[in-house]
Amino acid sequence: MNRMTSFGDLLGPQPVLLPEISDVEDLLLDSADPVRAAADHPAASIAWAHLAEAALARGEALPEPVNHDVVAAYAFARTGYHRGLDLLRRNGWKGFGPVPWSHEPNRGFLRCVGVLARAAKAIGETDEYARCLDLLEDCDPRAAAELGIE
């Protein structure tokens, strides 16, 4: 029997759907401090994504393109990216294949990859920027657009 993945690839791996980390997600939805959420739940990419996005927004508002906040965003995003890779691998991901944006628990990881791409571009790390775009494309072709990345 031929089975098609939800991404239309007959032979490709099934999409990875990460488990919910509801306690962290609930904290962040209740406007909890993302620093506290990351410190209390360091394995949760979503907490790192909140930190990275806030730092990048602050950094982009400054006149100099490379600044403390952009570098902090890069570091926060890289941490969330690596914690997300760990969780993806524990859930069957082999380093490639679908990680759908439509599945809410996947978004912490994908958001970290998006901020990592934008921060890498801002500091002139073009190879890392390209790798992040490729990863987003491999995970979900819609992810970059959802994250506002060209």
Side-chain angles (χ1 to χ4, degrees):
M1 172 172 148
N2 287 335
R3 289 184 40 201
M4 190 173 293
T5 70
S6 63
F7 279 60
D9 185 348
L10 212 58
L11 302 174
Q14 289 295 313
V16 174
L17 305 177
L18 292 175
E20 285 187 36
I21 307 174
S22 57
D23 49 345
V24 179
E25 293 165 3
D26 290 346
L27 283 172
L28 294 167
L29 285 174
D30 289 338
S31 301
D33 179 8
V35 171
R36 185 79 260 153
D40 291 345
H41 306 278
S45 291
I46 191 66
W48 296 106
H50 277 260
L51 290 170
E53 290 165 347
L56 189 61
R58 286 189 309 271
E60 289 176 337
L62 296 173
E64 61 278 353
V66 176
N67 58 65
H68 179 287
D69 288 314
V70 171
V71 173
Y74 184 96
F76 290 142
R78 180 153 300 281
T79 300
Y81 160 81
H82 280 288
R83 298 312 294 257
L85 287 177
D86 294 343
L87 188 57
L88 283 167
R89 288 182 182 120
R90 283 195 304 272
N91 283 275
W93 194 66
K94 304 293 187 219
F96 62 92
V99 181
W101 172 264
S102 61
H103 184 65
E104 186 77 31
N106 290 350
R107 290 186 185 175
F109 168 74
L110 296 169
R111 285 168 58 182
C112 284
V113 176
V115 174
L116 185 57
R118 291 173 52 206
K121 184 177 182 182
I123 65 173
E125 195 178 358
T126 56
D127 290 345
E128 180 72 354
Y129 175 70
R131 280 190 297 273
C132 289
L133 292 184
D134 288 346
L135 178 57
L136 286 173
E137 178 70 22
D138 187 45
C139 287
D140 187 335
R142 296 175 307 162
E146 291 287 345
L147 294 164
I149 300 171
E150 302 166 6

